[in-house]
Amino acid sequence: MRSSVPLGGISTGSFELRADGSFHEWTIFNQYPAGPPKFQTLDNTFMGLYVKRASGSSASYVLQTSPSDGRLPGVQSLMYQGAHPMSKLVVMDSRLPVTATIYAYSRYKVGDMNTSATPAVAFTAVLENPLNENITASFMFNFPHGIEPHTQRSFEQMPPNKEGQETTPPVGKVLEGVVDPVTCFEACNADPVCSCWNYATSNQACIIYPYVLLNGYMEGVYAGVKGSWHTNNQCTTMDRVPTSTSAGGNLSLCAFSSDTTAKLSFGLNNDVASLWKEFSSSGSFGIPKDGYFVNGAAAGTVELGPGETKEVTIVLGWYFPNRDFLGLQEGNFYDHLFKSSVESAEKLGSSRVEAVSDIAKLQEPFYTSTMPTYLQDMLINSLSHVRSAFWLRDGRWRQWESFDCVDIDSVHNDGERDIPYIMHFTNAVISKVEGWAKSQLSDGMIQEALRPGCFPGIPLVPQKVDAPGGRAMSDVTSMFITYLLELYTWSNDSYTRNLIKELWPVTKLAAQWQMNVTIDYLPTCLVCTYDILDLDQYKFTTFNSAFHLLAMKAAELLAYAAGDNEFAATCHEAFVKGQVALDQYLWNETAQYYNAYTPEYCGQASARQIKSRKWFMEGQKEKVGTELNTTGAIMADSFYAQVLAYSLGLGTLVQNETRLRMHVKAELKYNDSPWGLLALTRRDAIPGNPYENAVWLMANPDWAVLALNLQEDPELALSVAQKALDYWRSVVNDQWNVAGLIGGYHTPEDGGSGQPYMTSHYGFFMTAWHIVFALSGQNANMTEGSLTFAPKVSPPFLLPVMLPGVWGYLEAQEFAPKRPDAGYVQYTLGLNFGSVTLKQLNISGCANPIVEPLTLRADELVKWECSL
């Protein structure tokens, strides 16, 4: 496994507990993919277990299969399970006379951002005694704060000053002949002005600095930030200095147990082997002296009678409030919620039962549903995408496009992953929408990103998070309008709906821009999210046209909501004429699908477009006289906009639904591969352009949504989604780091067939959330108090129900006839989070007999019956 559930409160930083018991991907010290420090490795972070039988024998092992320090003994094997936001490790070791299961989790509560933003992770060891004699069992956790392996703190990572000029290089004190990193660590602690240090094994050079530098990966180099430990009865805490920097703050290990007789202890030591020796001798630590130490550890010890089960929980809490961006202090929002790591750790530790209950209520509508297992698993674990978010002290919620592309909140990419964010943390989405609205240009265009950074030449100034920019795109201004309609239609609160009405002037100007970039009622020569396919070199494309139609339909409805009936009529006219133009320019009657593009080129070609055209010409030479040369190209995700339209209950965007159905079938015929739907076929000969001969992970789930809504066979629809999603889940086995693209029929030079090809921790695949709507046929119009369903599957079924701040399930059970002439179906709508007030509740024509508005709250349900 190359990834696992990222543990940590939303926007507070995170890390992964992997299947072998090791810890990776640390970002709790305000790491970013851009600007500030990067991911860290902390090799000697580990959990441990000590067991002693009443008869006298004892055993102790680090809960890793291969501890990084060879002096530490590891367990025989571990079994890992992960379902966001929880990881589970089952210890499998015949030498341990105890059954041990470790649960690692953070707070995640639908509709409650403050609770979910707790900077802490709990590690609960559930210990069961299978023997007929008493045993003593201890669970411990070690955190090696003092030394950062494979890390260099250097000037090269420092941002420019506020004027964009290079920062003056730091001057450090060089200490020669230092024998190891621990000695360098001790030298920094002994120097009153030292804040951080580097140690290079190649020349045994130790350099100490008077202030904290940013970190980056460097093999053979060790580094650290000065920090000292102090201990009380329940926690040991490490304080980092200086506290004013992004690395400054504190971290705590606090121990808890529901067993009031449990004994808690804490250990501090520079040498991890010595620390382990102390623990393994008795399962506990002596009273530690406060001071500068590399390692800090916490342990909890319980006495277990025969057959008895008890738990010990150790919580790792952190408080690093001074998040920076390119040297500018922006701060973390959690600074308003907590004032120390002890506070955050104690908050999670004291509410751990509630935390686990909230996680169960989050996961239950999926893992008890009748949806395929692969879909349940991929959707729940896609919530780990939140690891890329940051919540600033001033209340702004922002998110990276990915960990290898440092755009902040590109509208089109955010739209691809927006469903769980709208449903779970609506205010986070509203924060982005407000930022995008402020970015609007005078001509009405919404700018691509709140801060672009993914392309060469992007300046590092101004030094602020929100510095909008980007490209003129087909699915940015249109997606902004669609976001507003989603919030307006689905939200169950007047605040959100009133906000959308207040933004009507922005929306109207955006829709006018959308109309102004058309020729013959279709947008022309615009970039889209499939940017490297270079579709913007063509006059018209189906992908761009479909997004334009979606924008016009959404703008029409928002205009009516704002009372602007005249503009609503204008949008409707543009929509209808756009439908006609789409068929006129892009329908291929011979091939029976919509061409990906028209053959007319736009203006002067870019270097990449010239290369794309070269691939095309080479393909034509190889295929002269074949079908490829006489038909248009077909794009697998041409109608992604239609997916959004279906989820909003807007119906079919094209004039002729039969043509849409034929197109969807043609995508499967011409674009299918062993790994999923290839992005674009019939333009170049395979392998040709590696970008189009690749599986972009939106296409397969989007195909399933279209097929389900077009009343195609549900099993076929779900199998197409499964091909790409379950390939990633079960074959690549990396579902907490889903790439944007999988290689298609690629040569080894292009990365190989079926291998991760481009972008890490990406959100393309999260359009799969629309499959839930497609299966249940959920159609919500909360402005009218209406919630209806048209399920694509027959009873019995259980499917999730999702609205902003509302999380629940819809169940249908078929019963034998009450009378000789008819059986009946019993429907149940239950809520796990949130509340909803309904005037209409209808499932496939079976209406709940609502006399007065029905208000349903968390942990409540309503049942009703209808004859078959």
Side-chain angles (χ1 to χ4, degrees), residues 157-172:
Q157 302 289 337
M158 298 296 285
N161 61 26
K162 293 182 179 179
E163 288 73 37
Q165 301 166 337
E166 289 188 0
T167 308
T168 302
V171 177

Side-chain angles (χ1 to χ4, degrees), residues 84 103 131 137 146 149 271 278 333 343 390 556 584 616 640 814:
H84 193 82
Y103 298 89
L131 305 180
D271 179 45
E278 181 181 4
F333 186 84
E343 187 179 346
F390 51 105
E556 177 188 350
Q584 176 185 344
F616 172 72
Y640 163 47
E814 190 172 323

Side-chain angles (χ1 to χ4, degrees), residues 484-485 488-489 497-498 500-502 504 507 553-568 781 783-784:
L484 296 176
L485 185 62
Y488 181 77
T489 304
R497 294 200 293 270
N498 289 336
I500 303 307
K501 288 183 178 180
E502 290 173 9
W504 170 242
T507 311
K553 192 68 174 177
E556 177 188 350
L557 295 178
L558 289 168
Y560 281 126
D564 194 338
N565 293 354
E566 182 180 352
F567 191 70
N781 187 343
T783 63
E784 299 177 357

